[in-house]
Every structure is written in C-alpha cells, then in structure tokens.
Amino acid sequence: MNLVWHIIRKDLRRLAWAYGAWAVAGGYLIVYRNLNIVQRSIWDNVGIVALFTFLALGIALIATVIQEDGLCGANEFWRTRPIAAGRLLTAKLVLVLASFAVIPMAFALALRPGQGGEFGAIGALSIYVLALAAVAACTKDLGQFLLVAVGCVMIAPALGGVLASVGPVGELTKPEAVSLSVTKIMLLHGIIGCAALGILINQYLTRRTRLSRWALATTVTVVALISGLWRWPLFG
Amino acid sequence: MNVIQTHDLTRRYGATEAVHALNLAVPAGSVCALLGPNGAGKTTTLKLLMNLLRPTAGRAEVLGVDTAKLGEREFAQIGYVSENQQLPLWMTVQQFLDYCRPFYATWDRALEQQLLAQFQLPVDRRLQQLSRGMLMKAALLASLAYRPRLLVLDEPFSGLDPLVREEFVHGLLEVSTQGDWTVLVSSHDIDDVERLVDRIAFIDAGRLRLNEPTEALQGRFRRVEVTGGSDGTDARAAAGELEWARSGQLTRFVATAYAGEASERDWRTRFPGATFNIQPMSLREVFVTLARTRATGAPGGAA
C-alpha cells in the first residue's frame, strides 16, 4: 500500500499546479451554485469560465494521470521497474476516482444536504471518470485522447439517433416510456462502467492495446444500439 | 548458468522481420556486447528481453523466467538503460532517485551517493535540463544503485560526444569492479564497448552471426597475407575465409577459423613455397570485417 501512495504522491506532485487551478475553479462553482453569496449578475461570465475550466481541466487531468505512466508504447519508464501493473492500476484508480468523483461530489452534496440520490450521483460520476480513464489508457497522448473521447461522445448518440429513426416504432404509455428511459439509463451506465473497467484491467495487466481499442469501439456500438433500438422497459 | 537465453526468438513488424529465430545465450557474470549495424535488430532484441515487446514466435528467458512473466521480483534485479526510454523529465535528479528508491529493497544509499559524486550529477536540476550525457548517467545511476544482477544497456553511447562517452565508459568500468553482475550492452560501434566486454554477440538483419568470448573471437580471426605459392588460376577462398582477394603473387584474406599450427600447415599445402604474414586482429577489425562482408554479401562461409 505504501508504494501505491508513493505513486499517487508522484502524480500529485507532477500535476500540482493543474490540480490547484482545477480545485480553485471547482471551489468557485460550489460557492457560486450552492451558497448564493456572489451576485450572479456580476459573476456570470466568471462562472462560465470556471465551469469550462473545471470540466476541461478535469478531463485533461484524468487523461494525464493515466498517461503519465503510459500503456501504449514500448519505451515507458515504469515497465522496466519493479512496479506491478496491479499496483499501478490501483494507484491510478484511487487517484482519479477520489479526485474527480468522490471528493467533488461529496463537497457538492455536503453543501446541499437532503437532496437524496447521493450515492447514485457519485456512482454515475465514477462511471464517467472510469470511461475517460479507459480512453486515456488506450491512447498515447492528450491529443489522441481528446480525438477519441470526442469521437466516442459524438458517434454513440448520433448512431443511436439514426437507429431510433429507422427502428421499429411502438406505442408506449407514459409510465412505460418513463420506465424505458430509466431502463436505458441503467443499462447504458452498467455497460459503460463494465466496459471501462474491463479495458483498464486489460490495458494494465496484459497491455493488449489492440484488444482494448476493439472493446472501446464495440462499447460505442452497443451503446448506440441500446439507445436507438432498445424497446423493453425493465425498471420502473 | 545463462542469465539470458532465447529460443528461436522472432519478431515481425508486418512483412519486416526485425529479429529472426535468435538463439542468444549470455552466461552469468559476463559482460556481453550485442553488436551490429544500425537497423540490425539490437533494440528490438533488448525490448523483447525486457518484455516491452511480445515475440511473434519463439521465447526468451531472463534470470530463469520466461520474459512474458517478468514481474516485480525480476525487475528488482534488472537494470535497464535505453536511449529511447521515456524518463520522468519533470523530476529533478534528487526527486528521480527518491522516486525510484522505495521500489528496491536492495537500494544502496552509500553506492547512490558514491555514484552521484562520481558522475558529478547536479541533484537539484531537472532531468529535462540535463545534457544527453548527464541524462544517461542519471538513468545509469538509478539502474545501478540497487546492485542489479543483470544490467541491460541499449545504445547508451549513442549521441554522446567523445569526452562524455569516455567519462561514461570510465564510470561503467569503475562500477563494474564493485558488483557481480551480468551486463548486456548494445552498440553499433565496437569502439564504445571494446574495453568493457568479455563476450561479443554480432547480430545482422535480425540474425545472430556469432556469440562468443572476445578472447576466442580474437584467437580465431587472423589477417593473412600470402606471397607467391600459386599462379592464381586455381586459387579459391576456402570455407571460413573472408575478404579474399588476389593480386598478382599476393593473396589476402581474413581467416575466421584460425587454429594455430594446423591452419598454417593447411595453408602451406594450398600455397606451396609461399611466405606467410599472419597478423592477429583487433576487435574493431573483426567487427568491421563482419559488417562489411554482410553488407556486400561477399562469400567466405559462416563466421
């Protein structure tokens, strides 16, 4: 466990300034959105910049944390050192999930208690963080990561929309439609989470990058198929 | 016991075969040079040995473990320095050592300090601010301080100016007296490693041409000049003779299987009445002869 913390400390030291900027943006958003102590009319533009910074920097930080000890090339320093892949994966997962899912959500929810669904929100955010980490694990650098991530985010819904428009159209009552929507959300989150975890484990433990990229493409396709063609409500 | 052993190790990139059925053995305690021209397959071989690449066919063992199964325990006993390695350049030298140290139970702080002083590394400077020579020294230090059983150096001298190269070799020579380790160092230039090694493996076009102790290699290579003894019409290169050339009464060749009196007796039979000038060859001359022979595709038998 000490070595896991050793790796986490190394990444935090490496990204200290970016983490600082991201935390400031996040802190401002929490204050702005939750405490209402800032006059919105004055700070609207700052709020937009803070939100953009928070999201963009957060996504870039997730990618950088993973790619700091890269998985796609044959020249990475860590691979010829006694750093077990499982240990490295643990360190990376602990860092990205704590930094970008648990702590921010805990802060946000602490300032707005009694809203309910806290664990669901943290779970959903964790799945998005895992998905971004999985894309980062299959790509060589930040540029390639952004290209693939944006591609996945655009292709899945676009393909899903096309499939929905050509697929069978059924008559659903309103409760059925709501149930279908919940079903799709649950299924998609489950699939994305499992696929992301599988890709991360494959990349770290076997480093079969081609297989991981195929899994990524398959996941995007399955997500599009479910969002476009799934017609069976399972959850209420 | 061999610290490194490969069995028909092969690696292809598409249609290109970078390493072909390589059977390399490096005995424990030896300092072996993996020599060959640029693009011969040296770096690919070392990456296969470090499990940085997967073999297309065949297999390799390092420290008695299949390279596909190399793990924490084995890498704690292996030092790897490569010109291509992506070091954490944002770290200072001190941070780099502090980061590496906890991963090794055998890390020797006294040796670390000694090497720091010996290599004259500025501990508070970032790796990205170091010259190439200094960077290689920092990488070497971080690969020596835990006294590895096996040290693998991939073209460590490439791009270094002569002065830094000399310092680097000097440093390696000094530390090599302090430990009982096996070293495999790749280079495209024999000059870089001549003073370091006691064994040479020569690889060309992905194929291992020879692998033997330097003493044996120098013992069996001779530059031979034969004056007279034949009118030249029926003179031919025999098996194991390279760079065979005849001009008038003078015949020159490199004998690759010199066996003392027996070889000389054989030559006297082939060239009756001739005089012989038989000279030992330096490792550099041997290397150049082998490289040139392969490059021109000249006949002369296996080296």
Side-chain angles (χ1 to χ4, degrees):
Chain A
M1 202 58 188
N2 281 342
L3 289 177
V4 170
W5 287 117
H6 186 61
I7 296 167
I8 291 173
R9 275 201 303 272
K10 183 264 291 180
D11 286 340
L12 286 173
R13 182 184 289 169
R14 161 82 164 121
L15 301 166
W17 283 101
Y19 258 104
W22 176 79
V24 167
Y28 175 82
L29 283 175
I30 287 171
V31 170
Y32 177 71
R33 297 282 299 166
N34 296 291
L35 299 184
N36 286 324
I37 57 171
V38 184
Q39 280 190 320
R40 291 191 180 204
S41 57
I42 300 171
W43 291 97
D44 266 355
N45 288 341
V46 181
I48 290 167
V49 171
L51 181 63
F52 179 78
T53 306
F54 184 72
L55 290 175
L57 213 48
I59 291 168
L61 273 169
I62 292 170
T64 312
V65 165
I66 298 294
Q67 291 176 344
E68 170 67 13
D69 297 286
L71 299 155
C72 294
N75 294 315
E76 281 83 10
F77 174 71
W78 74 271
R79 287 186 55 187
T80 55
R81 297 281 161 173
I83 304 174
R87 199 192 301 280
L88 188 65
L89 174 62
T90 306
K92 300 291 180 180
L93 284 184
V94 166
L95 182 56
V96 294
L97 287 176
S99 308
F100 304 106
V102 180
I103 293 174
M105 194 54 77
F107 257 104
L109 294 173
L111 291 168
R112 296 173 73 180
Q115 301 287 311
E118 285 89 347
F119 290 110
I122 292 174
L125 193 52
S126 299
I127 286 171
Y128 302 140
V129 170
L130 277 181
L132 288 168
V135 174
C138 301
T139 48
K140 280 183 181 170
D141 52 41
L142 197 56
Q144 204 178 69
F145 162 79
L146 287 174
L147 203 67
V148 174
V150 170
C152 291
V153 168
M154 289 177 75
I155 287 170
L159 192 59
V162 171
L163 291 171
S165 66
V166 298
V169 180
E171 289 296 318
L172 290 174
T173 62
K174 193 172 179 185
E176 282 176 332
V178 171
S179 174
L180 180 62
S181 172
V182 171
T183 300
K184 282 188 179 181
I185 288 170
M186 299 284 274
L187 277 177
L188 292 178
H189 277 84
I191 287 167
I192 292 170
C194 289
L197 210 51
I199 289 169
L200 282 168
I201 290 170
N202 177 58
Q203 270 303 86
Y204 276 88
L205 298 190
T206 73
R207 289 186 294 280
R208 293 183 189 277
T209 303
R210 196 175 291 177
L211 178 64
S212 293
R213 287 175 179 165
W214 272 110
L216 192 63
T218 305
T219 306
V220 171
T221 309
V222 171
V223 165
L225 284 171
I226 287 176
S227 62
L229 299 178
W230 191 270
R231 291 283 180 271
W232 302 276
L234 299 175
F235 307 104
Chain B
M1 180 212 164
N2 291 326
V3 168
I4 292 172
Q5 178 78 59
T6 70
H7 307 273
D8 293 328
L9 193 66
T10 301
R11 171 72 192 196
R12 277 188 287 274
Y13 296 101
T16 309
E17 203 165 47
V19 174
H20 175 80
L22 195 77
N23 289 299
L24 174 69
V26 179
S30 63
V31 181
C32 179
L34 184 62
L35 295 174
N38 290 326
K42 304 184 293 296
T43 294
T44 302
T45 301
L46 296 191
K47 283 185 173 173
L48 288 166
L49 293 175
M50 292 294 102
N51 195 26
L52 292 169
L53 292 173
R54 282 195 183 79
T56 311
R59 64 189 178 86
E61 287 164 16
V62 172
L63 299 174
V65 176
D66 191 301
T67 51
K69 294 174 183 162
L70 287 178
E72 270 186 342
R73 205 159 63 99
E74 289 74 35
F75 279 120
Q77 304 173 72
I78 298 172
Y80 174 72
V81 178
S82 167
E83 58 166 345
N84 302 313
Q85 201 167 29
Q86 291 170 354
L87 299 174
L89 297 176
W90 57 274
M91 290 185 187
T92 64
V93 172
Q94 190 60 60
Q95 286 170 343
F96 181 51
L97 297 174
D98 291 344
Y99 178 62
C100 292
R101 198 181 302 117
F103 293 111
Y104 299 94
T106 57
W107 189 281
D108 184 339
R109 290 293 291 260
L111 180 59
E112 173 197 319
Q113 291 304 313
Q114 183 196 324
L115 292 172
L116 262 176
Q118 188 181 323
F119 291 168
Q120 297 178 321
L121 283 165
V123 290
D124 53 352
R125 197 176 295 174
R126 289 187 190 280
L127 296 183
Q128 65 195 5
Q129 295 170 329
L130 297 180
S131 66
R132 203 184 129 61
M134 285 293 208
L135 190 63
M136 293 304 286
K137 282 183 186 178
L140 184 65
L141 196 167
S143 297
L144 289 174
Y146 49 94
R147 300 185 183 278
R149 279 176 62 198
L150 171 64
L151 184 61
V152 178
L153 306 170
D154 183 13
E155 297 273 6
F157 313 100
S158 172
L160 301 186
D161 64 57
L163 186 64
V164 178
R165 188 178 301 200
E166 181 59 31
E167 283 176 11
F168 195 89
V169 171
H170 184 70
L172 264 177
L173 278 170
E174 277 204 14
V175 294
S176 68
T177 61
Q178 298 171 9
D180 181 24
W181 43 45
T182 307
V183 181
L184 178 61
V185 53
S186 79
S187 178
H188 61 271
D189 192 344
I190 184 75
D191 285 347
D192 291 335
V193 293
E194 191 165 9
R195 281 182 295 156
L196 291 172
V197 302
D198 54 31
R199 188 176 190 87
I200 283 183
F202 183 78
I203 185 172
D204 186 28
R207 287 161 166 80
L208 190 67
R209 301 301 183 188
L210 61 83
N211 176 25
E212 61 189 271
T214 52
E215 214 167 271
L217 191 65
Q218 283 183 294
R220 70 182 179 89
F221 271 75
R222 287 289 184 277
R223 190 172 292 287
V224 182
E225 279 188 11
V226 186
T227 308
S230 168
D231 61 4
T233 51
D234 58 346
R236 294 281 185 278
E241 290 175 358
L242 305 176
E243 297 192 334
W244 209 92
R246 186 172 177 88
S247 171
Q249 287 294 300
L250 187 65
T251 304
R252 288 196 183 95
F253 60 88
V254 172
T256 64
Y258 179 72
E261 188 56 39
S263 296
E264 290 173 25
R265 202 165 40 240
D266 175 51
W267 293 333
R268 278 196 293 273
T269 311
R270 283 171 60 201
F271 303 94
T275 55
F276 296 89
N277 181 13
I278 304 164
Q279 296 293 332
M281 295 170 71
S282 67
L283 283 176
R284 178 178 177 74
E285 288 175 309
V286 172
F287 175 70
V288 169
T289 300
L290 288 171
R292 196 158 48 204
T293 305
R294 297 301 166 192
T296 56

